Short mmCIF file of all heavy atoms in Angstrom, two decimals:
data_model
loop_
_atom_site.label_atom_id
_atom_site.label_comp_id
_atom_site.label_asym_id
_atom_site.label_seq_id
_atom_site.Cartn_x
_atom_site.Cartn_y
_atom_site.Cartn_z
N ASP N 131 127.40 91.37 86.02
CA ASP N 131 126.83 92.69 86.15
C ASP N 131 127.28 93.39 87.37
O ASP N 131 127.35 92.81 88.43
CB ASP N 131 125.16 92.43 86.32
CG ASP N 131 124.53 92.01 84.88
OD1 ASP N 131 125.07 92.26 83.85
OD2 ASP N 131 123.49 91.42 85.11
N LEU N 132 127.60 94.69 87.22
CA LEU N 132 128.17 95.56 88.31
C LEU N 132 127.24 96.63 88.62
O LEU N 132 126.55 97.13 87.82
CB LEU N 132 129.51 96.17 87.88
CG LEU N 132 130.61 95.21 87.48
CD1 LEU N 132 131.74 95.94 86.83
CD2 LEU N 132 131.13 94.51 88.73
N LEU N 133 127.18 96.95 90.07
CA LEU N 133 126.39 98.03 90.50
C LEU N 133 127.35 99.19 90.80
O LEU N 133 128.26 99.00 91.60
CB LEU N 133 125.63 97.68 91.74
CG LEU N 133 124.95 98.76 92.47
CD1 LEU N 133 123.68 99.24 91.51
CD2 LEU N 133 124.52 98.24 93.83
N ALA N 134 127.23 100.34 90.07
CA ALA N 134 127.97 101.55 90.49
C ALA N 134 127.20 102.22 91.47
O ALA N 134 125.83 102.25 91.56
CB ALA N 134 128.08 102.36 89.25
N VAL N 135 127.83 102.86 92.57
CA VAL N 135 127.23 103.59 93.49
C VAL N 135 127.96 104.94 93.77
O VAL N 135 129.17 104.92 93.64
CB VAL N 135 127.13 102.87 94.96
CG1 VAL N 135 126.43 101.59 94.72
CG2 VAL N 135 128.53 102.60 95.37
N ALA N 136 127.23 105.97 94.12
CA ALA N 136 127.81 107.20 94.46
C ALA N 136 128.59 106.93 95.84
O ALA N 136 128.08 106.19 96.68
CB ALA N 136 126.80 108.27 94.71
N ASN N 137 129.80 107.44 95.85
CA ASN N 137 130.64 107.13 96.97
C ASN N 137 131.06 108.49 97.69
O ASN N 137 131.55 109.33 97.02
CB ASN N 137 131.88 106.42 96.53
CG ASN N 137 132.86 105.97 97.59
OD1 ASN N 137 132.39 105.46 98.51
ND2 ASN N 137 134.16 106.28 97.48
N PRO N 138 130.81 108.72 99.07
CA PRO N 138 130.26 107.73 100.00
C PRO N 138 128.75 107.41 99.67
O PRO N 138 128.10 108.17 98.99
CB PRO N 138 130.33 108.56 101.31
CG PRO N 138 130.27 109.92 100.93
CD PRO N 138 131.07 110.01 99.65
N CYS N 139 128.34 106.34 100.34
CA CYS N 139 127.14 105.66 99.94
C CYS N 139 126.29 105.22 101.08
O CYS N 139 126.86 104.75 102.08
CB CYS N 139 127.45 104.43 98.97
SG CYS N 139 125.97 103.79 98.26
N PHE N 140 125.02 105.29 100.94
CA PHE N 140 123.89 104.76 102.01
C PHE N 140 124.25 103.33 102.12
O PHE N 140 124.37 102.57 101.10
CB PHE N 140 122.59 105.00 101.40
CG PHE N 140 121.57 104.56 102.30
CD1 PHE N 140 121.52 104.68 103.53
CD2 PHE N 140 120.51 103.69 101.67
CE1 PHE N 140 120.47 104.09 104.44
CE2 PHE N 140 119.53 103.16 102.40
CZ PHE N 140 119.45 103.38 103.76
N VAL N 141 124.44 102.87 103.39
CA VAL N 141 124.72 101.51 103.52
C VAL N 141 123.57 100.49 103.20
O VAL N 141 123.79 99.30 103.09
CB VAL N 141 125.06 101.24 105.04
CG1 VAL N 141 126.39 101.84 105.33
CG2 VAL N 141 124.06 101.63 106.08
N GLY N 142 122.35 100.96 103.21
CA GLY N 142 121.24 99.97 102.68
C GLY N 142 121.47 99.53 101.27
O GLY N 142 121.17 98.42 101.08
N ILE N 143 121.95 100.21 100.44
CA ILE N 143 122.08 99.72 99.03
C ILE N 143 123.24 98.81 98.94
O ILE N 143 123.26 97.82 98.34
CB ILE N 143 122.14 100.83 98.04
CG1 ILE N 143 122.03 100.20 96.47
CG2 ILE N 143 123.42 101.71 98.09
CD1 ILE N 143 120.82 99.83 96.07
N THR N 144 124.43 99.11 99.59
CA THR N 144 125.62 98.30 99.53
C THR N 144 125.21 96.95 100.36
O THR N 144 125.65 95.93 100.00
CB THR N 144 126.83 98.95 100.10
OG1 THR N 144 126.44 99.64 101.33
CG2 THR N 144 127.35 99.92 99.13
N GLY N 145 124.47 97.12 101.41
CA GLY N 145 124.01 95.82 102.14
C GLY N 145 123.14 95.01 101.36
O GLY N 145 123.36 93.77 101.23
N ALA N 146 122.27 95.53 100.49
CA ALA N 146 121.38 94.67 99.65
C ALA N 146 122.18 94.04 98.59
O ALA N 146 121.96 92.90 98.22
CB ALA N 146 120.25 95.62 98.96
N ALA N 147 123.22 94.81 98.02
CA ALA N 147 124.04 94.19 97.01
C ALA N 147 124.91 93.05 97.64
O ALA N 147 125.08 92.07 96.92
CB ALA N 147 124.96 95.34 96.52
N ARG N 148 125.30 93.24 98.89
CA ARG N 148 126.14 92.19 99.52
C ARG N 148 125.32 90.92 99.72
O ARG N 148 125.70 89.81 99.53
CB ARG N 148 126.72 92.66 100.81
CG ARG N 148 127.86 91.91 101.38
CD ARG N 148 128.71 92.70 102.27
NE ARG N 148 127.83 93.19 103.35
CZ ARG N 148 127.76 94.64 103.77
NH1 ARG N 148 128.51 95.35 103.19
NH2 ARG N 148 126.94 94.77 104.67
N LEU N 149 124.04 91.12 100.19
CA LEU N 149 123.15 90.04 100.51
C LEU N 149 122.98 89.17 99.13
O LEU N 149 122.87 87.99 99.16
CB LEU N 149 121.86 90.50 100.98
CG LEU N 149 120.83 89.50 101.42
CD1 LEU N 149 120.13 89.84 102.67
CD2 LEU N 149 119.74 89.18 100.35
N LEU N 150 123.00 89.86 98.03
CA LEU N 150 122.84 89.24 96.73
C LEU N 150 124.15 88.87 95.93
O LEU N 150 124.07 88.62 94.73
CB LEU N 150 121.83 90.04 95.78
CG LEU N 150 120.51 90.29 96.43
CD1 LEU N 150 119.78 91.25 95.54
CD2 LEU N 150 119.69 88.97 96.31
N ASP N 151 125.22 89.08 96.62
CA ASP N 151 126.42 88.78 96.02
C ASP N 151 126.77 89.57 94.70
O ASP N 151 127.23 89.08 93.69
CB ASP N 151 126.70 87.31 95.75
CG ASP N 151 126.71 86.39 96.95
OD1 ASP N 151 127.12 86.94 98.08
OD2 ASP N 151 126.07 85.40 96.93
N ILE N 152 126.24 90.76 94.73
CA ILE N 152 126.50 91.72 93.54
C ILE N 152 127.78 92.58 93.82
O ILE N 152 127.97 93.19 94.86
CB ILE N 152 125.29 92.62 93.35
CG1 ILE N 152 124.15 91.78 92.92
CG2 ILE N 152 125.50 93.71 92.38
CD1 ILE N 152 122.79 92.47 92.89
N ASP N 153 128.65 92.64 92.77
CA ASP N 153 129.86 93.32 92.92
C ASP N 153 129.56 94.83 92.80
O ASP N 153 128.80 95.21 91.88
CB ASP N 153 130.97 92.99 91.96
CG ASP N 153 131.51 91.66 92.33
OD1 ASP N 153 131.36 91.13 93.52
OD2 ASP N 153 132.05 90.90 91.35
N VAL N 154 130.22 95.64 93.56
CA VAL N 154 129.97 97.13 93.61
C VAL N 154 131.09 98.01 93.11
O VAL N 154 132.23 97.61 93.46
CB VAL N 154 129.48 97.57 95.09
CG1 VAL N 154 129.35 99.05 95.15
CG2 VAL N 154 128.12 96.98 95.39
N VAL N 155 130.82 98.96 92.38
CA VAL N 155 131.92 99.83 91.89
C VAL N 155 131.70 101.28 92.37
O VAL N 155 130.68 101.88 92.15
CB VAL N 155 132.11 99.97 90.41
CG1 VAL N 155 133.02 100.95 89.86
CG2 VAL N 155 132.22 98.57 89.68
N PRO N 156 132.57 101.79 93.31
CA PRO N 156 132.32 103.23 93.78
C PRO N 156 132.64 104.28 92.80
O PRO N 156 133.69 104.11 91.99
CB PRO N 156 133.19 103.29 95.04
CG PRO N 156 134.32 102.25 94.78
CD PRO N 156 133.74 101.26 93.85
N VAL N 157 131.92 105.27 92.71
CA VAL N 157 132.16 106.40 91.84
C VAL N 157 131.93 107.64 92.65
O VAL N 157 130.86 107.93 93.30
CB VAL N 157 131.14 106.56 90.63
CG1 VAL N 157 131.46 107.79 89.75
CG2 VAL N 157 131.35 105.28 89.78
N ASP N 158 132.98 108.54 92.72
CA ASP N 158 132.88 109.68 93.61
C ASP N 158 131.77 110.58 93.54
O ASP N 158 131.37 111.05 92.40
CB ASP N 158 134.22 110.59 93.54
CG ASP N 158 135.40 109.87 94.12
OD1 ASP N 158 135.12 108.83 94.97
OD2 ASP N 158 136.53 110.23 94.00
N GLU N 159 131.14 110.84 94.66
CA GLU N 159 130.12 112.03 94.70
C GLU N 159 131.00 113.31 94.57
O GLU N 159 132.09 113.39 95.11
CB GLU N 159 129.39 111.89 95.92
CG GLU N 159 128.34 113.04 96.14
CD GLU N 159 127.56 112.93 97.51
OE1 GLU N 159 126.88 111.91 97.64
OE2 GLU N 159 127.51 113.82 98.28
N THR N 160 130.36 114.23 93.89
CA THR N 160 131.10 115.68 93.69
C THR N 160 130.01 116.63 94.31
O THR N 160 128.90 116.27 94.48
CB THR N 160 131.41 115.96 92.36
OG1 THR N 160 130.22 116.10 91.58
CG2 THR N 160 132.28 114.84 91.73
N ALA N 161 130.45 117.96 94.33
CA ALA N 161 129.59 118.98 94.76
C ALA N 161 128.41 119.06 93.79
O ALA N 161 127.30 119.52 94.08
CB ALA N 161 130.49 120.25 94.85
N GLN N 162 128.67 118.74 92.50
CA GLN N 162 127.56 118.97 91.45
C GLN N 162 126.78 117.67 91.22
O GLN N 162 125.93 117.68 90.46
CB GLN N 162 128.35 119.18 90.13
CG GLN N 162 128.92 120.54 90.12
CD GLN N 162 128.00 121.67 90.31
OE1 GLN N 162 126.96 121.72 89.71
NE2 GLN N 162 128.26 122.45 91.31
N GLY N 163 127.24 116.61 91.97
CA GLY N 163 126.37 115.33 91.91
C GLY N 163 127.41 114.13 91.87
O GLY N 163 127.71 113.62 92.96
N ILE N 164 127.63 113.67 90.74
CA ILE N 164 128.52 112.51 90.65
C ILE N 164 129.51 112.72 89.57
O ILE N 164 129.41 113.56 88.56
CB ILE N 164 127.66 111.29 90.43
CG1 ILE N 164 128.57 109.96 90.62
CG2 ILE N 164 126.98 111.30 89.05
CD1 ILE N 164 127.70 108.77 90.88
N ASP N 165 130.71 112.19 89.66
CA ASP N 165 131.83 112.32 88.70
C ASP N 165 131.57 111.40 87.44
O ASP N 165 131.80 110.30 87.35
CB ASP N 165 133.07 111.81 89.37
CG ASP N 165 134.24 112.01 88.53
OD1 ASP N 165 134.21 112.14 87.34
OD2 ASP N 165 135.46 112.07 89.04
N LEU N 166 130.89 112.22 86.49
CA LEU N 166 130.40 111.56 85.28
C LEU N 166 131.51 111.01 84.32
O LEU N 166 131.33 109.93 83.82
CB LEU N 166 129.46 112.51 84.47
CG LEU N 166 128.21 112.77 85.13
CD1 LEU N 166 127.52 113.93 84.38
CD2 LEU N 166 127.23 111.53 85.18
N ASP N 167 132.69 111.62 84.53
CA ASP N 167 133.88 111.20 83.58
C ASP N 167 134.25 109.85 84.19
O ASP N 167 134.48 108.88 83.45
CB ASP N 167 134.99 112.16 83.59
CG ASP N 167 134.43 113.40 82.98
OD1 ASP N 167 133.64 113.45 81.95
OD2 ASP N 167 135.10 114.49 83.17
N ARG N 168 134.39 109.83 85.51
CA ARG N 168 134.75 108.53 86.03
C ARG N 168 133.82 107.49 85.86
O ARG N 168 134.27 106.36 85.58
CB ARG N 168 134.91 108.89 87.61
CG ARG N 168 135.16 107.69 88.59
CD ARG N 168 136.58 107.11 88.39
NE ARG N 168 136.65 105.77 89.18
CZ ARG N 168 137.03 105.76 90.29
NH1 ARG N 168 137.43 106.86 91.07
NH2 ARG N 168 137.12 104.55 90.97
N LEU N 169 132.49 107.69 85.98
CA LEU N 169 131.52 106.78 85.79
C LEU N 169 131.66 106.20 84.34
O LEU N 169 131.49 104.98 84.04
CB LEU N 169 130.15 107.32 85.88
CG LEU N 169 128.87 106.46 85.72
CD1 LEU N 169 128.96 105.27 86.55
CD2 LEU N 169 127.56 107.28 86.15
N ALA N 170 131.74 107.09 83.30
CA ALA N 170 131.90 106.60 81.96
C ALA N 170 133.24 105.84 81.74
O ALA N 170 133.15 104.70 81.11
CB ALA N 170 132.03 107.88 81.02
N ARG N 171 134.26 106.08 82.43
CA ARG N 171 135.50 105.42 82.43
C ARG N 171 135.26 104.02 83.00
O ARG N 171 135.65 102.99 82.46
CB ARG N 171 136.65 106.00 83.21
CG ARG N 171 137.36 107.09 82.35
CD ARG N 171 138.70 107.34 83.01
NE ARG N 171 138.82 107.69 84.28
CZ ARG N 171 138.52 108.91 84.89
NH1 ARG N 171 138.19 109.93 84.13
NH2 ARG N 171 138.52 109.11 86.11
N GLU N 172 134.44 103.94 84.09
CA GLU N 172 134.24 102.66 84.77
C GLU N 172 133.28 101.75 83.83
O GLU N 172 133.45 100.52 83.81
CB GLU N 172 133.45 102.75 86.20
CG GLU N 172 134.26 103.43 87.18
CD GLU N 172 135.42 102.46 87.79
OE1 GLU N 172 135.49 101.36 87.39
OE2 GLU N 172 136.18 103.06 88.50
N CYS N 173 132.46 102.38 83.08
CA CYS N 173 131.58 101.61 82.15
C CYS N 173 132.50 100.99 81.10
O CYS N 173 132.34 99.73 80.71
CB CYS N 173 130.62 102.61 81.44
SG CYS N 173 129.24 103.12 82.57
N ARG N 174 133.46 101.74 80.55
CA ARG N 174 134.28 101.18 79.57
C ARG N 174 135.25 100.17 79.99
O ARG N 174 135.45 99.10 79.47
CB ARG N 174 135.09 102.37 78.87
CG ARG N 174 134.32 103.30 78.05
CD ARG N 174 135.15 104.15 77.18
NE ARG N 174 135.87 105.19 78.05
CZ ARG N 174 135.48 106.36 78.43
NH1 ARG N 174 134.24 106.76 78.11
NH2 ARG N 174 136.32 107.08 79.17
N ALA N 175 135.74 100.38 81.26
CA ALA N 175 136.64 99.32 81.92
C ALA N 175 135.99 98.01 82.20
O ALA N 175 136.42 97.05 81.87
CB ALA N 175 137.26 99.97 83.27
N ALA N 176 134.70 98.05 82.56
CA ALA N 176 133.87 96.97 82.84
C ALA N 176 133.81 96.15 81.60
O ALA N 176 133.98 94.89 81.47
CB ALA N 176 132.58 97.35 83.48
N ARG N 177 133.49 96.89 80.38
CA ARG N 177 133.22 96.19 79.11
C ARG N 177 134.48 95.52 78.66
O ARG N 177 134.46 94.46 78.10
CB ARG N 177 132.68 97.31 78.12
CG ARG N 177 131.80 96.72 77.19
CD ARG N 177 130.91 97.70 76.59
NE ARG N 177 131.45 98.97 76.31
CZ ARG N 177 131.07 100.13 76.70
NH1 ARG N 177 130.00 100.21 77.39
NH2 ARG N 177 131.75 101.26 76.46
N ARG N 178 135.50 96.16 78.94
CA ARG N 178 136.90 95.55 78.52
C ARG N 178 137.12 94.26 79.24
O ARG N 178 137.72 93.37 78.66
CB ARG N 178 138.02 96.49 78.75
CG ARG N 178 138.30 97.59 77.73
CD ARG N 178 139.64 98.21 77.79
NE ARG N 178 139.84 98.77 79.12
CZ ARG N 178 139.48 100.11 79.47
NH1 ARG N 178 138.87 100.81 78.61
NH2 ARG N 178 139.81 100.45 80.75
N GLN N 179 136.53 94.13 80.43
CA GLN N 179 136.69 92.82 81.15
C GLN N 179 135.42 91.88 80.87
O GLN N 179 135.37 90.86 81.68
CB GLN N 179 136.79 93.19 82.65
CG GLN N 179 137.91 93.93 83.10
CD GLN N 179 137.80 94.51 84.50
OE1 GLN N 179 137.03 94.01 85.33
NE2 GLN N 179 138.46 95.52 84.72
N GLY N 180 134.70 92.10 79.90
CA GLY N 180 133.47 91.33 79.66
C GLY N 180 132.43 91.47 80.65
O GLY N 180 131.62 90.66 80.85
N ARG N 181 132.45 92.60 81.51
CA ARG N 181 131.33 92.82 82.36
C ARG N 181 130.61 94.05 82.03
O ARG N 181 130.80 94.59 80.95
CB ARG N 181 132.06 93.02 83.86
CG ARG N 181 133.09 91.84 84.23
CD ARG N 181 133.62 91.95 85.69
NE ARG N 181 132.44 91.61 86.54
CZ ARG N 181 132.60 91.48 87.87
NH1 ARG N 181 133.86 91.78 88.33
NH2 ARG N 181 131.57 91.11 88.65
N ALA N 182 129.74 94.35 82.85
CA ALA N 182 128.89 95.53 82.55
C ALA N 182 128.31 96.38 83.69
O ALA N 182 127.91 95.61 84.78
CB ALA N 182 127.65 95.13 81.67
#
Side-chain angles (χ1 to χ4, degrees):
Chain N
D131 289 336
L132 298 168
L133 173 69
V135 300
N137 188 46
C139 188
F140 174 51
V141 292
I143 189 75
T144 45
R148 201 161 50 231
L149 188 137
L150 297 171
D151 297 321
I152 292 169
D153 289 340
V154 172
V155 176
V157 178
D158 284 346
E159 180 175 304
T160 66
Q162 295 301 303
I164 192 161
D165 184 339
L166 290 170
D167 294 336
R168 171 73 186 270
L169 179 56
R171 282 201 303 278
E172 293 289 356
C173 290
R174 291 191 296 268
R177 214 159 34 237
R178 278 195 303 275
Q179 296 164 23
R181 309 187 72 178

